[in-house]
Amino acid sequence: GRIANKLGPRVPMTAGMGLVGLGLLMLALIPLNDSLVLIESGLLAIGCGLGLNLGPMSAVAVANVPAARPGTASGLINTARMIGATLGVAVLGAVFAMHVAQSVGTQGLAAAYLGGGIGELIGAAVAFTFIRSDSLRPPAQ
């Protein structure tokens, strides 16, 4: 909250998605180097990224609707987040399952992590491009 209030929501949202993407790319390297440091660093980056991203995302959604509709905005953002997570698990799980069927399971895991990481980095670029730094202030009526 303090970061978003001081720097605007663009910074934590972009950094959060970037960290999740970086963490997933680090986990994609596990078949090449199964270092415990690599695994822990990847998981730490993902956890920090999620923490940075979720609060400002909800705050931006609620701040940019009429005063009578904050519950609707909050419900919509949470529904969209759940749909995105479900679709992400389904698509990346299908990528992994396709490789397991070919008896190359760890390569499938790397491919799934790579796809997720690239998707998160694209999301970070979109957030950086389209989220205004003053998005926490309600729009002028």
Side-chain angles (χ1 to χ4, degrees):
R2 289 182 185 176
I3 294 171
N5 287 336
K6 185 174 182 176
L7 302 174
R10 177 190 297 170
V11 172
M13 290 174 74
T14 301
M17 283 187 268
L19 280 171
V20 172
L22 178 67
L24 288 169
L25 293 178
M26 291 170 76
L27 292 178
L29 297 174
I30 291 173
L32 303 176
N33 179 5
D34 61 353
S35 163
L36 189 57
V37 173
L38 178 70
I39 296 168
E40 288 179 354
S41 299
L43 293 174
L44 180 64
I46 291 169
C48 289
L50 289 175
L52 277 172
N53 196 22
L54 293 179
M57 184 173 50
S58 296
V60 167
V62 170
N64 286 282
V65 296
R69 299 279 183 214
T72 303
S74 178
L76 184 60
I77 196 75
N78 283 312
T79 301
R81 190 172 52 86
M82 288 293 131
I83 290 171
T86 303
L87 286 174
V89 167
V91 169
L92 298 178
V95 169
F96 175 67
M98 188 172 57
H99 284 84
V100 168
Q102 298 170 356
S103 300
V104 287
T106 56
Q107 291 174 358
L109 189 59
Y113 284 146
L114 183 65
I118 291 170
E120 284 290 333
L121 293 177
I122 291 170
V126 168
F128 183 78
T129 303
F130 291 107
I131 300 296
R132 298 182 331 268
S133 57
D134 65 345
S135 293
L136 290 177
R137 289 186 222 114
Q141 302 292 331

